[in-house]
Amino acid sequence: MGPRAVPDAGPRSGTPVLSARGLSAGYGDAGPVVRDLDLELWPGEVVTLLGPNGAGKTTTLLALSGALQPRSGVVRWGGQITTAPLHQRARAGLALVPEDKSVIMNLTVRENLRIGRADVGLALETFPELESHLDRRAGLLSGGQQQMVALARALARRPAALLADELSLGLAPRLAERLLGVVRAAADGGLAVLLVEQHVRSALTVADRVIVLRHGQIAWSGSAERAREAPDVLLGAYLPLA
């Protein structure tokens, strides 16, 4: 995967697939983890959400997906305000791949794909290496293969937007590159992607835009090209590129 040269996004026409205005979210009686977040996700782009542990990246994905109801602000799907839970947004075309592996370990790969209402043929087009494992229980697969199943299941439903949390967590660099390459290819086909990723350098090779969170708020946003050429804009003192 080579670097992508994408300029800073200017004014756009049309409607973003997914957007948030003034979004605040948190858990229980504690204070909000994310505060006053504004975000837009457009077809055909990968937006990478970066920041140190505890910055609010996962909370942002959960609030956008409907898995966590916001405390304030609005989320729009296709331009319309939505308060629908995750399963309803999934039916409408939103796919979420959470940080913890979402495959069902005692089901086969084929059963995992079918229970997610995924097109098995399309899943195998995305990851041909899964074909020989279709009738194996997912719990017998490697961590990388399980993550392939989770991503294939999400993409094989032909979603309009994908929210993915730490796809490469704990994986070898080669496998991480394979997964991120699939995400990039899906975006090139029109998918809108919001990606939380720990491997910053790899994430920047597939991203169009970058948003950096710190203490639950946006500390910086801009094109991935600018972030690659001037890594200090990523506040390198607390977000190492290694």
Side-chain angles (χ1 to χ4, degrees):
M1 294 181 295
R4 295 174 53 80
V6 180
D8 286 309
R12 304 194 193 204
S13 60
T15 303
V17 177
L18 183 64
S19 65
R21 288 292 178 270
L23 183 68
S24 296
Y27 310 92
D29 295 329
V33 177
V34 174
R35 299 181 299 281
D36 300 320
L37 185 71
D38 292 345
L39 180 149
E40 291 182 345
L41 194 61
W42 294 82
E45 72 170 354
V46 176
V47 178
T48 296
L49 193 59
L50 302 174
N53 289 338
K57 304 183 297 296
T58 294
T59 301
T60 298
L61 261 61
L62 294 178
L64 290 172
S65 71
L68 177 68
Q69 286 300 315
R71 294 185 176 181
S72 61
V74 297
V75 174
R76 285 184 170 86
W77 175 257
Q80 300 299 313
I81 293 176
T82 180
T83 58
L86 173 59
H87 70 276
Q88 291 182 7
R89 295 187 202 189
R91 292 195 190 104
L94 186 146
L96 172 68
V97 179
E99 179 180 349
D100 55 323
K101 291 183 177 64
S102 57
V103 297
I104 302 173
M105 297 298 183
N106 63 344
L107 296 184
T108 67
V109 170
R110 191 190 308 272
E111 290 166 339
N112 267 278
L113 294 172
R114 286 178 173 169
I115 203 170
R117 296 182 291 115
D119 182 321
V120 175
L122 184 56
L124 294 180
E125 286 181 23
T126 305
F127 289 108
E129 51 266 63
L130 291 178
E131 185 169 8
S132 61
H133 300 290
L134 278 176
D135 296 312
R136 289 187 72 193
R137 285 192 295 111
L140 298 177
L141 302 180
S142 68
Q145 291 167 334
Q146 291 173 6
Q147 200 69 303
M148 286 181 188
V149 173
L151 183 56
R153 184 175 60 194
L155 294 178
R157 295 176 58 197
R158 297 182 175 89
L162 170 70
L163 309 181
D165 195 356
E166 300 285 16
L167 281 178
S168 68
L169 185 65
L171 302 183
R174 178 180 60 83
L175 282 173
E177 185 171 313
R178 175 82 173 98
L179 293 168
L180 293 175
V182 165
V183 169
R184 180 67 257 174
D188 289 340
L191 183 67
V193 179
L194 182 60
L195 179 69
V196 170
E197 180 55 48
Q198 65 167 348
H199 292 150
V200 177
R201 195 178 300 277
S202 296
L204 290 179
T205 68
V206 301
D208 298 301
R209 289 193 290 122
V210 174
I211 297 173
V212 179
L213 290 186
R214 183 167 60 178
H215 305 308
Q217 295 182 301
I218 295 177
W220 184 87
S221 65
S223 72
E225 179 184 27
R226 183 180 170 207
R228 287 190 298 265
E229 293 178 350
D232 58 297
V233 302
L234 295 182
L235 309 178
Y238 76 95
L239 186 62
L241 288 175

